[in-house]
Amino acid sequence: MHRCYNVLLLLGLAFVNCNSKAHSDELIVNDKSYLTFYYENDLFNGDDANYTSGGRISYITPGKPAVDIKFIQQGLDFLSGGSDSSELMKNIWGLKHPSEVEYSYGFALTQLMFTPENKFSEVPDPGDRPYVGWLGVGFSVHARDHRTLNSVEISIGTVGPHAFAEDTQDYIHDIRNLDKFQGWDSQMPNEPTLNIVFNQKRRWHLLEDADLPMDLEIDGFHETGVSLGNFLTDIHVGGLVRIGWNLPVEFSDPRLTQTAHTQRLFSNGEGNDNRWSAYAILGARGSAVFHDITIDGPVFRSYDTNIKREPLVGEAYIGFGVRRGNWEFGYVHTYRGKQYESQGDPQGFGSVAIRKQF
């Protein structure tokens, strides 16, 4: 566990002490930065199996990279659809005026863990999910105009013992006095992962013209995206609606997705001077999955997971958020369909997000 803490500490220090240069004079640098902590666990649903837990710390800043690694940042800018992109990427992303696009840059540290349903067996039962942990860092760029937000994130990580999932889970179970899983010695072996994620959100203007009682406001967006890499390769689509009072102009994915960062959603020039917000969230997402290392196993090493991936996975979620000043808290409960053929039942899990604006 100490080794895990040392890795996290070193990454955190590198992130906090980084100094970066502005992307260009065109960028908006008056927006604030956001630090967000995400935590997900199926114990919110009374279970402890399959996707059992996830944690993510993300930081995003406007106008300059959160962590300036030049060759990564140049590649992200090239793919963002903004002024430095190729004509092909500009056409694909569809930003109307690339030279007027606002940018935000993100850095994230994420850990995920997956376990079988039988926690007491030293080897997963036939048809049960294998033990898998994943630990990774992500670097992202987000380009937005008044109706569109484009996000590109590159993540570098590893599955296997080097992800320290066993250490983290044992530590949490010790604190909560829960039974420990006995089969981590059989977990998926170490394999480095490299992934790139493209995601686009488009706002629904139609909802914003709705005349609601009690001064309620409503907004929403749909999203499309693709993930490429040996950790996850998929195509996903989804949508989200918020309804409440004083909807904050800054928002993020309410759950721990690959591009989850709190930021100003769209560059519509609007603000929210109210010191508080309260709102409900309702959303859905569907994915066509072509490779999932946690189910299909590593690409470059021999390891039989003994399960078969479901090619289509759907999920729905509902939750709420509250904001006071520069702090925000959100909770979302997700209902996810089966991810592999022999899975007993669809899964439910809860997601907590705590955000701080600087």
Side-chain angles (χ1 to χ4, degrees):
M1 190 64 194
H2 293 299
R3 189 179 178 187
C4 178
Y5 281 150
N6 289 337
V7 171
L8 298 180
L9 180 60
L10 288 172
L11 288 169
L13 289 174
F15 149 63
V16 170
N17 290 301
C18 67
N19 292 312
S20 319
K21 295 178 68 176
H23 176 273
S24 76
D25 293 337
E26 299 168 350
L27 299 183
I28 303 298
V29 295
N30 294 323
D31 282 345
K32 295 185 178 180
S33 301
Y34 301 90
L35 179 67
T36 310
F37 171 71
Y38 298 90
Y39 178 68
E40 294 185 335
N41 203 299
D42 59 348
L43 285 174
F44 290 111
N45 198 59
D47 303 315
D48 201 5
N50 291 304
Y51 173 44
T52 186
S53 184
R56 178 179 174 97
I57 298 174
S58 77
Y59 180 76
I60 194 164
T61 183
K64 60 182 180 179
V67 176
D68 194 3
I69 300 177
K70 191 171 184 180
F71 74 94
I72 291 179
Q73 210 57 63
Q74 288 176 340
L76 290 172
D77 291 338
F78 180 78
L79 297 170
S80 69
S83 57
D84 288 344
S85 291
S86 66
E87 290 302 318
L88 175 63
M89 295 306 299
K90 290 177 183 177
N91 292 332
I92 290 174
W93 282 115
L95 294 170
K96 288 191 173 182
H97 303 287
S99 63
E100 299 175 6
V101 165
E102 296 179 8
Y103 289 82
S104 296
Y105 295 89
F107 170 83
L109 176 66
T110 307
Q111 185 184 57
L112 307 174
M113 63 183 71
F114 305 83
T115 59
E117 295 181 9
N118 183 354
K119 68 173 64 177
F120 299 109
S121 176
E122 295 184 359
V123 178
D125 297 334
D128 210 347
R129 189 163 196 155
Y131 286 87
V132 185
W134 181 77
L135 180 68
V137 294
F139 308 90
S140 60
V141 62
H142 310 261
R144 63 186 180 272
D145 61 16
H146 69 284
R147 67 188 183 97
T148 303
L149 171 65
N150 298 335
S151 299
V152 187
E153 177 150 330
I154 292 176
S155 65
I156 304 165
T158 182
V159 295
H162 289 166
F164 307 110
E166 179 183 9
D167 302 275
T168 302
Q169 188 184 59
D170 285 351
Y171 179 72
I172 294 173
H173 281 218
D174 281 338
I175 292 175
R176 301 189 61 182
N177 197 28
L178 298 172
D179 292 329
K180 294 182 180 179
F181 281 77
Q182 301 300 310
W184 277 105
D185 286 344
S186 67
Q187 70 176 295
M188 190 173 292
N190 292 315
E191 177 168 291
T193 64
L194 176 64
N195 246 71
I196 183 167
V197 185
F198 302 87
N199 198 74
Q200 182 177 84
K201 295 181 175 70
R202 286 183 177 263
R203 69 189 300 182
W204 294 337
H205 291 287
L206 181 63
L207 290 179
E208 297 167 9
D209 296 329
D211 186 14
L212 300 179
M214 300 186 296
D215 295 323
L216 284 167
E217 302 171 357
I218 187 169
D219 69 1
F221 57 81
H222 67 271
E223 64 175 331
T224 56
V226 58
S227 302
L228 301 170
N230 65 320
F231 175 68
L232 178 67
T233 298
D234 78 347
I235 298 172
H236 51 269
V237 297
L240 178 150
V241 173
R242 298 187 302 171
I243 182 170
W245 292 274
N246 304 324
L247 295 180
V249 296
E250 58 282 323
F251 192 60
S252 74
D253 296 338
R255 304 172 304 151
L256 196 164
T257 64
Q258 290 175 286
T259 55
H261 292 273
T262 301
Q263 59 181 309
R264 182 179 290 268
L265 269 178
F266 306 106
S267 61
N268 54 8
E270 299 174 0
N272 191 335
D273 295 329
N274 291 285
R275 295 289 295 168
W276 65 275
S277 301
Y279 54 90
I281 305 169
L282 180 66
R285 178 173 167 134
S287 302
V289 184
F290 303 99
H291 173 74
D292 182 342
I293 197 171
T294 70
I295 296 175
D296 297 312
V299 175
F300 305 108
R301 301 193 64 171
S302 177
Y303 180 86
D304 190 356
T305 63
N306 296 309
I307 57 175
K308 187 175 181 180
R309 167 179 37 82
E310 290 282 4
L312 300 176
V313 180
E315 54 191 37
Y317 54 91
I318 187 170
F320 68 93
V322 291
R323 177 180 66 93
R324 178 65 179 173
N326 294 327
W327 287 90
E328 188 171 355
F329 172 87
Y331 176 80
V332 167
H333 202 87
T334 297
Y335 302 90
R336 176 178 288 168
K338 292 183 180 182
Q339 294 183 282
Y340 56 96
E341 291 183 356
S342 54
Q343 184 174 345
D345 296 298
Q347 186 175 17
F349 58 90
S351 307
V352 172
I354 301 171
R355 310 177 182 101
K356 176 69 169 69
Q357 179 178 332
F358 296 93

